[in-house]
Amino acid sequence: MKLATIARTAIAVGAVVLLGSCGIYKKYETPTTTALTQAYAEARQQPVDSAAFGNLLWEKVFTDPKLATLIQTALENNTNLRNAQLNVEVAQANLKGARLAYLPSLAIAPNGAGASYAGSDLSWTYQLPAQLSWEIDIFGKLLNGKRGAQAAVYQSEAYAQAVRSQIISGVANTYYAIAAVRNQLNLSRSTAALWKETVQTMKDLKDGGRGVTEAAVVQSAANYYSIRSSITDLEMTLDQLNNTMSLLLNTLPQEWDVTDKVDLEVPEVLRAGVPMSELAARPDVQAAEQSLAAAYYTTASARAAFYPGLTISVNGGFSNLLGSFIKNPGDWFYQLAGSLVAPIFSRGQNIARLKAAKAQQQQAMNNFEYSLLSAAAEVNDALTVYQKSQEKSAYLVDQVANLEKSVEYTQDLMLYSTGSTSYLEVLTAQQGLLSAQISQINTELARAKSIITLYQALGGGR
């Protein structure tokens, strides 16, 4: 066939150039230029540990039924996750287009015209042409485009997983924050009731001439109004948290049903350090690497632009215009052509594109390395907060127990002694107890959030 002969001839002409262009065909490999990326590359070769904390299904980590329902609703309704999933569809469509670029293009353009000269009868001409054009990918232009599109698919999928992980963590963090604020509200309201009784007690002692002055009465009243004002702050915070939860679930603002007493336990994953294999499972790290891969293929495409392009075309159809003659009825015609176009001078555009692509590839490399360092820092931070919260929680238990006794003793001494305890000691003991109890609630919240952060930092949320 003549078409095959044209293709073989053109490919033979380009073979010499091909020998010097092998780099544009090389597939992306994880870089190992630094100790950090070397460790990452080795970790990617290891089998996935399904029992690792970050690889656990979220249903096995967040077992509270109310929380599980909220997370499921958010995953179904959240706008950000929907958009991330649509980005995957966009990338898949682009990949399909890149794959179809290997196929020939076919176009049909029927046309007709009439002409009359010097009063002659109108002569009609018509054509029913079809053009088949096929670009032979000798130097990897289409190949690198397809590989880059594939990397974009992987990147969008990793990004969607990162968004999913963020949503799960966001719902869980908000859930435990609502529970903590509710606990603080309950504590503050009950404490306010007790402090109100203290104000009345001091008034009674003053009226009974028991050594309590007006200064003690007004100071205790000031403490009472202080806690009442803090209750309004907690109520505003609770309202804001409910609105945050509503946004995560993509619904109108409402008050969410959250169990006041919640506890979140972490599986046995705590240790001095986290293996690189677990950091490599993070979707944001994988997205950063796929961005690097896409930049690599963009650079390869920019290099390929310096090499010739081969196009084979076939024109054919039915026409009554043959040369300068009009023939009725018409007849079939066809043409074969092949062209090999090599860029010689393109006003520096190819050089500029290559330099820009190399710079963008280096930027992607920097971002990839930073994502690994950031992932390690986040995991270490979460582990530290968890461990220190555990220690602090144990101390606060003892502190609260002792302060409860202190409040009890100072109140008894004020009521039944002959002035060995002043009202200031009572107020100080009460304030210290409330502060320790609120700190205890906040520490439990910090511990729960550290577990959630650790789960997210290890790529959890599947």
Side-chain angles (χ1 to χ4, degrees):
M1 290 295 292
K2 295 182 179 179
L3 181 62
T5 302
I6 293 174
R8 284 197 298 269
T9 303
I11 292 173
V13 171
V16 176
V17 185
L18 179 63
L19 295 176
S21 60
C22 296
I24 61 179
Y25 293 99
K26 186 178 180 182
K27 207 169 183 181
Y28 167 82
E29 295 179 355
T30 302
T32 57
T33 52
T34 65
L36 182 65
T37 55
Q38 175 70 35
Y40 174 84
E42 293 174 356
R44 293 285 287 164
Q45 303 300 319
Q46 298 176 10
V48 176
D49 182 8
S50 59
F53 187 40
N55 292 332
L56 295 177
L57 297 176
W58 67 262
E59 294 92 340
K60 294 185 178 181
V61 177
F62 305 110
T63 56
D64 185 311
K66 292 181 179 179
L67 174 57
T69 300
L70 293 174
I71 290 176
Q72 187 60 49
T73 303
L75 293 177
E76 293 172 356
N77 298 339
N78 188 272
T79 302
N80 290 335
L81 183 57
R82 286 181 182 177
N83 288 337
Q85 292 167 342
L86 289 172
N87 284 337
V88 175
E89 294 183 17
V90 170
Q92 289 174 338
N94 291 335
L95 174 60
K96 184 176 182 180
R99 287 172 174 166
L100 293 177
Y102 284 94
L103 301 179
S105 62
L106 176 64
I108 299 177
N111 63 81
S116 174
Y117 301 96
S120 63
D121 293 336
L122 194 64
S123 299
W124 289 95
T125 61
Y126 59 85
Q127 289 187 9
L128 298 174
Q131 183 180 42
L132 184 68
S133 179
W134 184 23
E135 182 179 357
I136 308 299
D137 191 33
I138 300 178
F139 300 106
K141 296 177 183 178
L142 300 180
L143 175 65
N144 285 302
K146 184 195 74 171
R147 288 175 173 175
Q150 182 67 73
V153 171
Y154 293 148
Q155 182 183 5
S156 61
E157 289 174 344
Y159 175 75
Q161 174 57 32
V163 173
R164 177 184 172 90
S165 179
Q166 290 172 357
I167 291 170
I168 293 172
S169 299
V171 172
N173 275 320
T174 306
Y175 182 84
Y176 286 105
I178 291 175
V181 172
R182 283 188 172 180
N183 284 333
Q184 289 182 9
L185 268 172
N186 293 338
L187 172 63
S188 296
R189 286 166 179 164
S190 62
T191 301
L194 292 175
W195 285 13
K196 186 176 182 180
E197 293 178 3
T198 300
V199 174
Q200 187 59 50
T201 300
M202 288 192 175
K203 286 181 179 179
D204 294 340
L205 291 173
K206 172 184 169 292
D207 294 340
R210 295 286 303 276
V212 175
T213 65
E214 183 64 25
V217 175
V218 296
Q219 182 64 53
S220 62
N223 274 13
Y224 168 72
Y225 291 121
S226 173
I227 193 172
R228 289 298 305 171
S229 67
S230 70
I231 288 174
T232 61
D233 291 336
L234 289 172
E235 288 171 342
M236 286 190 295
T237 300
L238 181 60
D239 182 68
Q240 292 169 354
L241 288 170
N242 278 314
N243 291 338
T244 299
M245 183 68 80
S246 300
L247 285 174
L248 287 168
L249 273 63
N250 198 32
T251 187
L252 292 174
Q254 57 186 281
E255 185 176 347
W256 296 96
D257 182 21
V258 174
T259 304
D260 289 343
K261 182 61 177 177
V262 293
D263 192 20
L264 180 61
E265 295 297 334
V266 63
E268 293 299 326
V269 299
L270 303 183
R271 48 189 174 271
V274 175
M276 178 61 77
S277 58
E278 294 188 33
L279 298 180
R282 281 178 54 132
D284 59 334
V285 171
Q286 294 179 1
E289 186 189 12
Q290 292 306 318
S291 177
L292 174 60
Y296 172 87
Y297 290 125
T298 299
T299 302
S301 295
R303 287 195 178 99
F306 287 88
Y307 296 95
L310 172 62
T311 302
I312 297 174
S313 60
V314 179
N315 294 304
F318 191 79
S319 175
N320 72 335
L321 180 61
L322 302 175
S324 59
F325 298 98
I326 299 176
K327 176 183 177 182
N328 288 304
D331 205 349
W332 293 97
F333 72 93
Y334 72 92
Q335 296 174 330
L336 296 177
S339 63
L340 188 67
V341 179
I344 297 176
F345 179 70
S346 57
R347 296 174 297 178
Q349 294 303 303
N350 287 339
I351 295 175
R353 277 194 293 268
L354 180 58
K355 286 183 176 180
K358 286 181 177 180
Q360 290 170 345
Q361 183 178 343
Q362 185 58 52
Q363 287 178 331
M365 181 65 183
N366 295 340
N367 293 336
F368 171 51
E369 291 182 331
Y370 181 80
S371 70
L372 282 171
L373 294 174
S374 178
E378 288 179 10
V379 171
N380 286 332
D381 286 345
L383 287 171
T384 300
V385 172
Y386 178 82
Q387 293 166 350
K388 296 306 176 183
S389 296
Q390 289 283 79
E391 295 177 15
K392 185 176 180 179
S393 181
Y395 293 136
L396 286 172
V397 169
D398 293 337
Q399 183 186 18
V400 168
N402 282 279
L403 285 172
E404 287 174 341
K405 293 178 182 178
S406 175
V407 170
E408 181 183 353
Y409 293 159
T410 53
Q411 286 178 332
D412 288 345
L413 289 171
M414 184 182 68
L415 290 171
Y416 305 116
S417 70
T418 58
S420 60
T421 300
S422 71
Y423 73 93
L424 289 176
E425 291 178 272
V426 175
L427 298 180
T428 300
Q430 288 177 333
Q431 290 173 336
L433 175 60
L434 177 61
S435 176
Q437 288 171 326
I438 290 179
S439 181
Q440 191 175 32
I441 294 173
N442 287 334
T443 300
E444 285 302 307
L445 175 61
R447 188 186 69 85
K449 285 190 171 183
S450 69
I451 297 173
I452 298 168
T453 301
L454 179 62
Y455 183 60
Q456 181 184 356
L458 294 174
R462 291 164 177 78

